[in-house]
Amino acid sequence: MTEILTVIALSALLIGVAVLLLGVKALFVKGGRFPSGHAHDNPELRRRGVGCHHDEA
């Protein structure tokens, strides 16, 4: 039983550290934001002609 709790605790810790590291810029930089996930904001996708499904509707 204690092995299972140890694994769960370590997993929760690792997930927490990963989320914190992914959000460093958004959380600690003044005016920082998460990068946009939209196709129209990605220059490489625009170059390849990939568009956002909202624009095609």
Side-chain angles (χ1 to χ4, degrees):
M1 184 68 173
T2 60
E3 294 174 6
I4 294 172
L5 292 176
T6 303
V7 170
I8 291 173
L10 286 174
S11 300
L13 180 67
L14 286 173
I15 291 171
V17 168
V19 168
L20 182 67
L21 290 175
L22 286 170
V24 164
K25 182 177 179 184
L27 296 173
F28 299 116
V29 175
K30 185 174 182 177
R33 299 179 350 178
F34 286 104
S36 174
H38 294 278
H40 68 268
D41 291 333
N42 187 324
E44 183 61 25
L45 290 177
R46 276 185 285 155
R47 185 183 71 79
R48 293 180 183 205
V50 176
C52 183
H53 75 279
H54 289 286
D55 296 336
E56 296 173 5

